[in-house]
Amino acid sequence: MSQIQEVKDATDIVTIIGERLTLQRAGSYYKANCPFHSERSPSFFVNEVIQRYKCYGCGEHGDVFEFLEKYEGLTFYETLKYLAEKAGVTLKEQVRTKDDELRDEVLAALNLAKEYYHYLLITHEVGAPAREYLKNRGISTAMIKHFGVGYSLDSWDGLLTFLEKKKKISPKVLLAAGLVITGKTNRSYDRFRGRIMFPLKNNRGQVVGFSGRTLDSDAKEAKYINSPETMVYHKSSLLFGYSEQLQEIRKAKTMIVVEGEFDVISSVQAHVPNIVAIKGSAFTKEQARLVARLVETVYLSLDTDAAGVKATKEALKVLKPHEIDVRVIKIPEGKDPDELARHHPKEWREATKRSISVYEFLLESALKQHDHTAPEGKRAIMKEIAPYISEITHAVEREHYITLLASALKVKQDVVRSDVAMYSSKKPKVAERAADQDQRATTDNAKAEQRPLSGRERNERYSLFLLFLHEESDIPIKALELKELQFTYPGAQKLITLLQEYGKKLANTQQKFSLRAFSQQLPSDLQQLLLEVTTNPELISLSQSLDLSKEWKHTIKDLKQSSAQLEVERIAARLEELDEISELSPEEEAEQQELLQKIVTLKHQSV
């Protein structure tokens, strides 16, 4: 047995997925809202026996390895290593690719860089200016250590010398990690120089990059520079503070989203612990999926300028499909969370408790931007706000904002209601557009592979579904009733043949049939077929309150009749070919007589 199979056998897919999704038991399988696309009702099925999953909404499917690779963004080797450690299996075989090896080396280099930067800040004399800078910003040593904050030397090769000369890390790895830059003369130098260094971690706590802030606010160079996109760092899927504050966020079931690292650090120091910062100017779909695993409400505290309002709208679009409540924390004009948390921590804590609905925030912003007393201003406000009001699913809540908007514009509520309805009928709702865009990439391939099933194929699929509804001990026996049938549904014939052979093998050794044991020795495509015919919602709905024995007999009878009819059609085609031959050979005459006799028999069977 390979070590991959050993790890797979020692792992329960329901446990692994159940640690990440809320699974609901439904008969012999589990279901949940799919983590790979936005949906309101569960179409994601997990089968404990077959140890595979399938989403009937977007088509994603696979085993426990494929789930973790897609859900966590792990490589195959990282998945194998994680599951082996969890199952207590010691890996002996080397299954790493060159990319796996480089990835491990990159992560190791980034971790060493974090330790180096942190040492310079905490201990070394060269870190004194940075320590003084952080002290003046009110950042405690405890927070510096908690977030692993560091300092990069104001030199061209401080980190390069340490990692390449002392730690023997190759230039190739340092380049792949985004820690150094190669100039026009092919000479490498440090990317970060003379900056406060914030380690950027993925959701598993691994350092994947850095954000560096200059000490001089008046410097001509950029105030912040970040790691480039690498094989381990992807800005769109990262939230600063997520790894460090994970338990606090999970406990609160809420998350405050701010724009900068100092906003997060100062807030945690001010006892506002359920907080993260976005990397970049917008909240992304990848970040929304990460957030949806943990929280029910997101509180946004972004800039209130035009860019901040735009970022708030984008956040609403990507969060709403996950049914996350979005609210906005209002802080005094001209201040940011960092400043408020440092100088007025109690006021910041109170502000986080006095949030307003995101719709109320957008309404206030639109009223500030446009003249609500002028007709063109009223029209602009309606055009800006109507899409968001129309997307509110709860009628009472929607009426509340219609009332607020009508009052602000000094028009009748029916007028606002009419405009909202008109806009809604013309354009898909904001959340639906985001959900559609989010789902399109995952459904296109699935749709391309789908084709309408013939009546016979649908019947064949249903017969397989009924077969595996039987008690486990009866499945091999019932499979023998399908022996004479020729299946056209993709993979069905092979699955039945293997099942019949497996049943015979067990009968000879007097062993009991186990569907799990049988499924584990199948190739992955047939495992997936087995999962799909046993958990398909369409088939399940057809089978509600059925008499399994009668339904099985009726379905088998239909299949036998359709099989006989297909054979009749095949023989009729061959007889037509023989009829076109002017003079038959003795062999062809014998074949003709045999086919005529056979067609009479088959027609009798199909009656």
Side-chain angles (χ1 to χ4, degrees), residues 271-510:
H271 306 293
V272 180
N274 55 323
I275 189 166
V276 299
I278 53 178
K279 297 303 300 173
S281 59
F283 204 93
T284 67
K285 289 183 284 188
E286 292 83 5
Q287 290 165 341
R289 292 192 193 102
L290 190 65
V291 168
R293 305 175 188 180
L294 298 174
V295 306
E296 298 170 353
T297 305
V298 165
Y299 298 89
L300 301 174
S301 186
L302 310 176
D303 288 343
T304 55
D305 57 11
V309 173
K310 182 180 178 182
T312 299
K313 290 178 179 178
E314 291 300 316
L316 176 60
K317 286 180 183 179
V318 298
L319 288 168
K320 197 65 178 177
H322 295 280
E323 297 189 350
I324 292 174
D325 186 24
V326 182
R327 301 187 65 80
V328 175
I329 297 171
K330 294 180 67 177
I331 58 178
E333 197 75 33
K335 293 185 179 180
D336 58 28
D338 169 45
E339 185 180 357
L340 199 60
R342 282 192 286 125
H343 299 300
H344 307 284
K346 183 178 180 181
E347 187 178 342
W348 173 230
R349 289 194 295 271
E350 290 299 318
T352 64
K353 298 174 184 177
R354 296 194 308 270
S355 64
I356 63 172
S357 162
V358 66
Y359 303 109
E360 188 175 342
F361 169 78
L362 293 178
L363 175 57
E364 290 180 0
S365 299
L367 290 171
K368 288 179 182 178
Q369 184 181 356
H370 305 287
D371 181 4
H372 65 279
T373 62
E376 58 272 18
K378 294 177 189 286
R379 184 170 63 251
I381 291 169
M382 280 302 304
K383 185 177 180 181
E384 189 169 330
I385 299 301
Y388 299 96
I389 293 180
S390 68
E391 78 172 350
I392 300 173
T393 54
H394 297 288
V396 172
E397 185 183 7
R398 187 169 59 250
E399 283 297 306
H400 171 73
Y401 294 109
I402 287 175
T403 301
L404 285 181
L405 184 53
S407 176
L409 298 181
K410 293 183 171 52
V411 298
K412 294 181 179 180
Q413 293 179 25
D414 285 344
V415 174
V416 173
R417 196 175 294 112
S418 175
D419 274 3
V420 168
M422 179 182 66
Y423 192 95
S424 180
S425 66
K426 288 182 178 179
K427 206 167 185 179
K429 294 179 182 178
V430 173
E432 290 174 357
R433 291 202 307 275
D436 287 345
Q437 292 166 0
D438 190 34
Q439 185 173 339
R440 193 172 296 125
T442 55
T443 55
D444 281 349
N445 288 338
K447 287 180 179 177
E449 294 172 0
Q450 290 176 355
R451 62 175 178 81
L453 298 179
S454 67
R456 177 175 174 80
E457 286 177 320
R458 294 177 69 85
N459 215 18
E460 289 174 355
R461 185 183 62 169
Y462 187 50
S463 71
L464 289 177
F465 171 73
L466 294 175
L467 171 63
F468 294 104
L469 270 187
H470 287 90
E471 295 291 333
E472 280 199 354
S473 58
D474 292 334
I475 290 174
I477 300 169
K478 294 296 180 182
L480 294 175
E481 297 181 33
L482 305 175
K483 186 176 181 181
E484 303 301 325
L485 300 176
Q486 292 297 314
F487 280 74
T488 58
Y489 187 73
Q493 191 65 54
K494 184 64 175 175
L495 177 63
I496 293 165
T497 300
L498 290 175
L499 176 57
Q500 291 166 349
E501 291 173 355
Y502 189 75
K504 287 180 183 178
K505 182 180 177 181
L506 292 181
N508 292 334
T509 58
Q510 295 185 332

